[in-house]
Amino acid sequence: MVISIASGKGGTGKTTVATNLALSLNKSIQFLDCDVEEPDAHIFLKPKIESKKTVSIPVPHVDEAKCNLCGKCAQVCAYNAIAVVNPIRRSKNEIGVGKENSPIPETKPHKELKGKVLIFPELCHGCGGCKLLCPEKAISEVDKDIGVIESGESKAIQFIHGKLNIGEVLSPSLIRAVKEHINPTRTVIIDVPPGTSCPVIEAIKGSDYCILVTEPTPFGLNDLILAIEVLKKLDIPFGVVINRADIGDEKVKQYCQNYKIPVLMHIPFDKEIAIAYSKGIPIVEVKPKYIQEFGKLFEKIVN
Amino acid sequence: MKQIVVISGKGGTGKTVIAASFAALAKNKVMADCDVDAADLHLLLHPEVLQRHDFKGGKKAVIDRDRCNECGKCEQVCRFNAVQNFVVDPISCEGCGVCSHICPEGAIKMEDNLSGEWFVSHTKYGPLVHAKLGIAEENSGKLVTMVRQNAKLIAERERKDFVIIDGPPGIGCPVIASLTGVDLALVVTEPTLSGIHDMERVCRVAHHFGVKTYVCINKYDLNIENSEAIKRYCLNSNIEIGEEIPFDQAVTEALVRGVPVVESSDNKVTKKIESLWNRIKQIN
């Protein structure tokens, strides 16, 4: 079973719920931290990292000896990751313009300037289109590192997380790589990044159940509603955990009641929990009664 | 005109509370909410929408089943596993268009994808540019850029002194789009190990893009030891500490009332946020 833990709003307690759930279940657990931009679960689970692997995406490399500067690559790239400076002059017919793309402008090359292909790897999605469609077979692919995947053990928990390199944008690709490690014989817990866009979808996709963690504030409610829309679109069953349940207002509770959304658990605001959190200590270590509470949470999901 | 972005790495450290407070404190500015996939600033600034624009973030492949002869080439070339049984899953499709180029029958079209909306609004604190990314859509970075460009245009046209940007959490695409070319990044963090870990990563991103950075420690008194660690990190990395803001229940109460916390002075945080803004507005 794959359970993902998400929230629209950041800082509501995703990692708290994910790590404490993992620590409370008497099962063989695999924990995937898919918040690859800011992975924090290791702070609480303290795994012994045993292996580290670099993740890369393929980006184009042009063999200048073969390239005739036709400009096809720049024309097919949907991400503007490749540009041809001073392309040779060709008519529309010659370069075989795709239906959806406008032809490259028919400008005369400047005589003194040599043509050149410029590649912007930070914009490349690694789709392989330029390589596939280059008429001269002048494009090959080289690996560009986007992050690392580290894995190890934390007691009985198999732990894996991805860490995006500084300055990189392609978190969905790294999340995909982390999820390739899913071991279906275990109970898989996925810590999801905040928000509602592509990294979130990539992390949640394929889950059997999603726990949405929120807080009873207008921000918490607004972002919970957005997250619920995502899960409906992905057709994944979900329930809500209300963290710091006794601060703020009643509107999250009312919303869940009105729309018949199961509220799986309330975690009250507790200074002791907040201080433990600040030190990287899981709730179940300072308040062992929560082992049972998280066990009940899991039972609710399974039933 | 100066552009200031509020970011944090970790979510929920208080970016929007600080940004909304700056909206109330700064005199002549445009606000921009660049947390486009979970925008919250409007809940405190109560905008009246003046302009509404569609955002077409990219394209999605669509297969014309009448022309498709089920050769399967599209499925072979797609690196995003978006084609299955001759149907494109729009959620997985990244709009690269390789399938449409390779299809021998010309059966695949790349169609504009309406992936969100952006707005120009009036608030009692001045103009606000904000957006709503469509559900389960991508290209949030492009939408962020759209919001920023339009906020900047308004600021230039109306001779504003500041663009104040409420940024998204994380360090990826939308954060980089919010950050590049600004005059100052204010990193709001909290004295927890996660807060520190995430602050260090986002500060490195700001440094990577050559952006001047201040750090503000929110709820600093929750763990004084960790707050000291943050200060040591900043000292070693040549980052200025903007301010240390104490924990106060008044912040949540103001949130529930839907107003920037600095609208009342009856709490422990207002003075601190005022002094933070007074410091930030002097950057050059």
Side-chain angles (χ1 to χ4, degrees):
Chain A
M1 182 176 199
V2 180
I3 303 169
S4 53
I5 290 90
S7 73
K9 178 169 157 42
T12 55
K14 281 179 297 301
T15 304
T16 299
V17 170
T19 51
N20 283 288
L21 180 62
L23 291 166
S24 302
L25 301 181
N26 201 2
K27 284 185 178 323
S28 138
I29 301 279
Q30 185 189 40
F31 192 101
L32 303 181
D33 190 348
C34 284
D35 186 358
V36 301
E37 294 181 32
E38 296 289 20
D40 287 337
H42 65 281
I43 294 171
F44 300 91
L45 295 178
K46 303 173 185 70
K48 205 170 136 230
I49 298 296
E50 283 142 10
S51 76
K52 190 170 168 172
K53 189 176 91 184
T54 303
V55 175
S56 53
I57 59 156
V59 299
H61 172 78
V62 177
D63 180 346
E64 288 184 16
K66 288 186 187 163
C67 173
N68 67 358
L69 300 169
C70 73
K72 179 84 180 173
C73 50
Q75 178 212 332
V76 298
C77 179
Y79 312 109
N80 302 317
I82 193 159
V84 182
V85 185
N86 215 32
I88 55 163
R89 190 180 177 187
R90 295 222 164 177
S91 73
K92 283 181 200 170
N93 301 341
E94 267 181 283
I95 55 170
V97 175
K99 287 188 180 55
E100 298 303 317
N101 288 281
S102 55
I104 54 165
E106 289 180 66
T107 47
K108 252 192 184 167
H110 194 288
K111 276 187 188 140
E112 283 106 55
L113 282 179
K114 259 182 137 179
K116 197 171 169 45
V117 180
L118 299 175
I119 291 166
F120 306 99
E122 66 281 6
L123 297 177
C124 177
H125 284 220
C127 73
C130 53
K131 176 189 169 197
L132 190 69
L133 297 162
C134 173
E136 304 300 319
K137 301 269 166 271
I139 300 181
S140 56
E141 287 178 323
V142 291
D143 285 341
K144 179 191 175 236
D145 295 348
I146 58 166
V148 295
I149 290 179
E150 295 177 323
S151 45
E153 304 282 326
S154 168
K155 292 174 198 153
I157 301 169
Q158 186 183 36
F159 178 90
I160 301 169
H161 70 178
K163 263 160 91 176
L164 189 70
N165 286 353
I166 298 301
E168 281 301 332
V169 296
L170 281 183
S171 37
S173 302
L174 182 54
I175 294 169
R176 256 197 301 273
V178 172
K179 287 181 76 177
E180 278 167 15
H181 292 79
I182 284 182
N183 177 352
T185 64
R186 291 184 175 235
T187 299
V188 182
I189 294 176
I190 297 181
D191 197 358
V192 175
T196 60
S197 65
C198 24
V200 176
I201 310 298
E202 200 60 60
I204 297 180
K205 228 164 47 179
S207 304
D208 298 301
Y209 195 89
C210 182
I211 300 174
L212 292 172
V213 186
T214 190
E215 60 176 36
T217 66
F219 289 4
L221 176 60
N222 183 67
D223 301 352
L224 172 69
I225 295 171
L226 295 172
I228 287 173
E229 287 185 61
V230 170
L231 289 168
K232 285 188 173 155
K233 194 155 175 179
L234 294 175
D235 202 16
I236 292 172
F238 59 91
V240 169
V241 170
I242 306 178
N243 193 13
R244 298 185 281 264
D246 44 354
I247 61 155
D249 58 17
E250 296 293 307
K251 288 188 179 134
V252 168
K253 223 177 272 177
Q254 282 162 11
Y255 181 87
C256 292
Q257 252 166 27
N258 292 347
Y259 290 90
K260 303 209 165 26
I261 294 160
V263 176
L264 305 165
M265 185 178 182
H266 294 88
I267 306 173
F269 177 78
D270 180 332
K271 198 138 190 192
E272 216 179 317
I273 293 177
I275 289 170
Y277 174 87
S278 77
K279 298 176 181 165
I281 301 168
I283 302 179
V284 292
E285 265 179 46
V286 286
K287 305 223 156 177
K289 68 162 189 169
Y290 272 95
I291 294 176
Q292 233 183 354
E293 297 292 320
F294 281 101
K296 279 190 218 155
L297 168 69
F298 182 76
E299 289 307 317
K300 281 184 192 164
I301 293 171
V302 177
N303 299 329
Chain B
M1 189 261 296
K2 303 282 179 209
Q3 298 189 65
I4 292 151
V5 65
V6 185
I7 47 176
S8 65
K10 177 169 159 42
T13 60
K15 280 182 296 301
T16 304
V17 165
I18 300 283
S21 295
F22 288 172
L25 296 171
K27 291 265 151 38
N28 190 26
K29 81 280 152 178
V30 177
M31 299 300 299
D33 191 349
C34 285
D35 188 0
V36 296
D37 60 308
D40 285 335
L41 193 57
H42 64 280
L43 298 170
L44 300 182
L45 302 188
H46 309 286
E48 176 199 331
V49 175
L50 304 176
Q51 293 173 27
R52 186 181 285 267
H53 303 269
D54 287 345
F55 170 66
K56 294 187 181 109
K59 293 176 187 277
K60 300 266 180 198
V62 178
I63 300 178
D64 179 350
R65 293 305 308 267
D66 291 340
R67 292 170 76 175
C68 171
N69 68 359
E70 306 199 345
C71 71
K73 284 220 169 69
C74 49
E75 197 171 327
Q76 281 165 29
V77 297
C78 178
R79 289 197 176 160
F80 309 106
N81 300 323
V83 191
Q84 257 147 32
N85 300 320
F86 319 107
V87 176
V88 178
D89 166 19
I91 290 174
S92 298
C93 176
E94 295 201 10
C96 69
V98 175
C99 56
S100 75
H101 289 289
I102 212 80
C103 175
E105 303 300 319
I108 306 181
K109 278 206 161 49
M110 298 304 295
E111 291 186 351
D112 270 339
N113 179 44
L114 183 66
S115 52
E117 282 183 295
W118 62 275
F119 319 95
V120 178
S121 294
H122 165 78
T123 76
K124 68 185 265 204
Y125 307 105
L128 167 69
V129 185
H130 50 133
K132 188 172 190 290
L133 191 71
I135 293 306
E137 289 293 350
E138 51 195 281
N139 273 310
S140 53
K142 273 193 191 169
L143 185 52
V144 166
T145 304
M146 187 71 97
V147 168
R148 275 192 64 190
Q149 275 170 354
N150 283 282
K152 196 170 164 222
L153 275 177
I154 294 170
E156 281 164 355
R157 198 174 57 222
E158 300 183 11
R159 297 175 192 282
K160 301 287 189 192
D161 298 322
F162 299 100
V163 174
I164 298 170
I165 302 164
D166 188 10
I171 64 162
C173 168
V175 174
I176 291 172
S178 305
L179 181 72
T180 44
V182 300
D183 298 279
L184 180 80
L186 175 68
V187 174
V188 180
T189 187
E190 59 177 35
T192 63
L193 293 186
S194 317
I196 297 173
H197 174 267
D198 297 358
M199 167 204 69
E200 290 187 13
R201 280 170 66 81
V202 81
C203 284
R204 282 168 60 204
V205 173
H207 180 75
H208 180 89
F209 289 98
V211 172
K212 185 183 170 70
T213 307
Y214 282 5
V215 162
C216 159
I217 312 175
N218 197 10
K219 304 176 242 186
Y220 82 91
D221 47 348
L222 272 187
N223 186 326
I224 301 280
E225 213 176 298
N226 283 342
S227 287
E228 291 302 321
I230 294 171
K231 287 194 260 182
R232 276 197 303 277
Y233 169 82
C234 290
L235 191 68
N236 292 334
S237 317
N238 251 330
I239 295 168
E240 257 185 71
I241 293 284
E243 193 52 83
E244 294 170 67
I245 299 172
F247 174 80
D248 192 336
Q249 205 73 53
V251 173
T252 309
E253 286 159 19
L255 202 72
V256 169
R257 288 201 311 277
V259 294
V261 64
V262 293
E263 288 286 13
S264 89
S265 51
D266 186 19
N267 60 56
K268 292 192 282 186
V269 300
T270 295
K271 282 242 146 30
K272 293 286 184 182
I273 301 177
E274 281 169 0
S275 95
L276 175 64
W277 172 248
N278 287 334
R279 198 153 169 183
I280 287 174
K281 73 180 183 192
Q282 284 160 25
I283 55 142
N284 43 45

